Amino acid sequence: MHRLPGLASLRRLNTSRPPDQTQRKAELVPSLAIRLLGPAYFPYQLTYLRLATRGLSVMRFVHIPAVCAVALILAASLVAGCARTARPLMPTPTLYQESAENELFAATPAERQATGLTLLYITNRSPMTDPESRLPYGESRSHLLAYGSAVVELGPDLDWLSVEQQSHLADRTSEVNLELGAVQELGRFPQEPYPVVVTSTGVGRSAPVVRQHEEAKAGFQAELQRYLAHSPSKEVFLYVHGFKETFASAAYTTADLCHFLGREHVCAFFTWPASTTGGFLTAYTTTTESAEYAVGHLRKTIRMIAQTPGVQGVHLLAHSRGTVLLVNAFNELALEAIAFGLDPAQHLNLVNFILMAPDIDVDVALQKLMFFESDPDLLTHWPSEQIPDFLRGRLTVYSSPGDRALGVSEFLFRSRSRVGQVGDQIPQERQKLVEAWGRFDLIVYKGTRTDRFGHSYFVSNPRVSSDLIALLRFGTKPGEAMRPLKQVGPVVWTFPED
């Protein structure tokens, strides 16, 4: 057991400027531009940039290739788009604002009616060794998988009655802030890669290391069962964050959703070493490879959760760049199940698979998710000509054509289309392809941005979060009472006009 430092008290970011600074444009010196993109992207001299008070406007470049100028604009936009420290509780979803029938905490056990939310975490981040650090884990990769508990406190100085009252209000009368409290690491898996032993018959796994693995797995599952004992739903939701997120910001988003799910589920998050420092392109490249590095760890995590006795369902959610990680891990787990003749839906105990503002190319996503249909020669023990069931609930994608942050990825990857930016004008043949599943929904939000870059609308926009909560908590289908969406295609739904 390892005790890690927590964020005892964090203040919200203060982005206000003094009046005299607000009235003038600030100059961005070359060193800042180089820090954003990295020196390798500036082979020529940069004279100066100007940063307007409302948005970035490039006033003059000298001898800079156009590709660098565009990249700088996009990079500077996204740098501030994802990483956060302490923050307010997400706005109240509309379904709790509008009707007393949708009582938020009606099924919440008494022991969960507290100002603190205890979350289960799994990570392959390295622990912070600096005693002055406010975060328990950093952005470096660890060569082992660790798990533990993290407490997110709702404050300041609120009792449960106050939290409950404020959680039903569209316009809150008191602040409700999220702060990271005690973080306790409870177990670790062996260092990777696991060593092997050479015998007279060949190469095999090390028996002592396998025993360590099994002990760590048993410890994790025992901890999960302890959470299940206090969960009304007996279901687990696992959140996978995106780029520029810290351990704390991942915990906050998990706590947001857990709170407005009525605290009925076991709430867990998988946090991986998404880069939050350095030049933007360097950080994004590092993050892309760290997401690849984390696939095996997430695969192990999902498998362990699904195979834990007492778990009655698993909901997998991912945001932004985390969707690539989740899609890859799911692809491998589904292939593993099918290869042994097992139905992935039952083997993985999977209810809902939800991708929010996915930072993944449309063609890549379809290739990953429809691998079985497109490969009749796949060697499996699958006993039927029918396509296996991959989940019991629905595969839901939330997208927004106004998502500014995904413009960076579209530019960097020369991507024809990012899943998180697709609108409702999808070709009918492409819709019919996925309609045959009978479980796929694309939810398109085209309304006003409720966060700076329109990338976190699943928590910042009460209408979108309401739709997500109705799906997860009540199993509501699109178009039903709690999800008043408009169907505009075989699998495409939009929100009614504001």
Side-chain angles (χ1 to χ4, degrees):
M1 184 179 297
H2 304 268
R3 293 188 180 276
L4 299 168
L7 279 170
S9 178
L10 283 173
R11 297 188 180 93
R12 283 184 294 168
L13 287 172
N14 180 5
T15 57
S16 61
R17 296 188 181 97
D20 60 327
Q21 291 183 341
T22 307
Q23 302 303 318
R24 67 175 186 265
K25 297 177 180 178
E27 291 192 353
L28 195 62
V29 295
S31 60
L32 175 56
I34 293 172
R35 191 164 73 248
L36 284 172
L37 289 179
Y41 292 88
F42 286 88
Y44 306 109
Q45 180 182 0
L46 170 65
T47 305
Y48 66 89
L49 300 173
R50 293 186 185 274
L51 186 64
T53 57
R54 295 183 181 273
L56 185 69
S57 60
V58 178
M59 303 303 293
R60 184 171 61 157
F61 278 90
V62 175
H63 300 308
I64 287 191
V67 64
C68 293
V70 175
L72 177 60
I73 296 171
L74 296 173
S77 296
L78 190 57
V79 161
C82 292
R84 290 165 289 198
T85 54
R87 68 167 187 237
L89 178 69
M90 64 181 267
T92 301
T94 54
L95 99 139
Y96 297 129
Q97 301 174 18
E98 296 173 350
S99 174
E101 296 177 4
N102 304 318
E103 177 59 40
L104 175 51
F105 300 111
T108 305
E111 65 270 18
R112 289 194 168 198
Q113 296 180 12
T115 57
L117 275 162
T118 303
L119 312 173
L120 182 64
Y121 75 84
I122 309 93
T123 187
N124 62 350
R125 293 176 181 264
S126 291
M128 293 293 287
T129 56
D130 183 358
E132 300 299 320
S133 173
R134 299 181 300 171
L135 288 170
Y137 295 92
E139 61 181 64
S140 298
R141 301 172 191 168
S142 172
H143 293 146
L144 55 81
L145 194 61
Y147 67 90
S149 65
V151 177
V152 175
E153 298 285 353
L154 279 68
D157 302 322
L158 297 175
D159 57 19
W160 171 251
L161 181 60
S162 299
V163 169
E164 185 176 17
Q165 291 173 340
Q166 296 301 320
S167 297
H168 283 88
L169 300 179
D171 297 308
R172 292 177 186 145
T173 56
S174 298
E175 285 188 342
V176 182
N177 297 330
L178 303 177
E179 297 183 358
L180 187 62
V183 176
Q184 190 171 33
E185 187 177 291
L186 300 173
R188 293 182 178 182
F189 285 79
Q191 191 87 0
E192 295 183 6
Y194 289 5
V196 296
V197 294
V198 179
T199 67
S200 58
T201 57
V203 179
R205 291 190 174 97
S206 166
V209 173
V210 171
R211 282 195 297 272
Q212 293 174 27
H213 173 90
E214 292 299 329
E215 289 171 0
K217 176 183 173 182
F220 173 81
Q221 292 182 320
E223 182 67 9
L224 178 53
Q225 287 178 313
R226 190 176 69 81
Y227 282 67
L228 284 168
H230 302 283
S231 165
S233 71
K234 307 302 179 188
E235 295 181 342
V236 180
F237 97 74
L238 181 70
Y239 172 69
V240 183
H241 62 79
F243 175 47
K244 299 290 285 186
E245 296 284 358
T246 65
F247 181 94
S249 63
Y252 294 152
T253 301
T254 308
D256 276 332
L257 296 174
C258 185
H259 182 70
F260 285 107
L261 285 168
R263 306 187 177 202
E264 295 179 358
H265 297 62
V266 175
C267 304
F269 64 103
F270 179 86
T271 178
W272 52 285
S275 183
T276 58
T277 60
F280 172 78
L281 294 184
T282 302
Y284 194 80
T285 303
T286 301
T287 291
T288 300
E289 292 209 324
S290 289
E292 288 291 329
Y293 173 75
V295 170
H297 294 131
L298 180 57
R299 183 183 67 237
K300 290 180 183 178
T301 298
I302 296 171
R303 189 194 296 120
M304 286 190 300
I305 291 173
Q307 295 177 355
T308 299
V311 172
Q312 295 183 9
V314 180
H315 305 268
L316 300 177
L317 298 83
H319 177 231
S320 190
R321 196 65 190 163
T323 60
V324 179
L325 172 54
L326 180 58
V327 166
N328 284 333
F330 174 74
N331 174 271
E332 294 182 7
L333 284 167
L335 183 59
E336 174 186 293
I338 295 169
F340 281 88
L342 301 174
D343 193 322
Q346 299 303 318
H347 179 62
L348 300 176
N349 215 349
L350 185 57
V351 181
N352 284 300
F353 189 89
I354 303 173
L355 306 177
M356 303 168 296
D359 184 6
I360 182 172
D361 181 85
V362 170
D363 293 331
V364 172
L366 283 174
Q367 189 77 357
K368 293 285 185 181
L369 293 173
M370 300 190 72
F371 68 92
F372 185 85
E373 295 86 340
S374 304
D375 192 359
D377 300 324
L378 190 67
L379 295 176
T380 74
H381 287 136
W382 185 248
S384 171
E385 293 297 323
Q386 291 186 328
I387 303 299
D389 285 332
F390 289 92
L391 66 165
R392 306 200 312 258
R394 308 193 74 77
L395 194 163
T396 305
V397 173
Y398 287 90
S399 73
S400 174
D403 189 330
R404 289 179 172 178
L406 292 181
V408 180
S409 299
E410 190 172 10
F411 171 80
L412 292 176
F413 289 112
R414 301 294 193 271
S415 175
R416 185 177 65 180
S417 180
R418 310 306 283 178
V419 175
Q421 285 185 314
V422 297
D424 52 9
Q425 303 300 317
I426 301 175
Q428 289 290 311
E429 62 272 16
R430 182 63 65 92
Q431 292 194 49
K432 290 184 180 298
L433 180 67
V434 292
E435 182 189 19
W437 282 352
R439 298 180 183 274
F440 178 83
D441 300 305
L442 173 64
I443 314 298
V444 180
Y445 177 72
K446 297 192 294 184
T448 305
R449 282 193 302 272
T450 48
D451 57 90
R452 187 176 181 187
F453 298 101
H455 191 54
S456 299
Y457 47 85
F458 70 102
V459 287
S460 69
N461 188 293
R463 300 173 72 203
V464 181
S465 64
S466 180
D467 188 78
L468 176 61
I469 295 297
L471 165 64
L472 277 172
R473 186 178 186 185
F474 303 107
T476 310
K477 294 181 180 179
E480 294 181 350
M482 286 189 287
R483 299 182 68 190
L485 300 169
K486 177 183 177 182
Q487 188 166 14
V488 295
V491 298
V492 182
W493 302 77
T494 62
F495 290 86
E497 298 274 335
D498 288 336

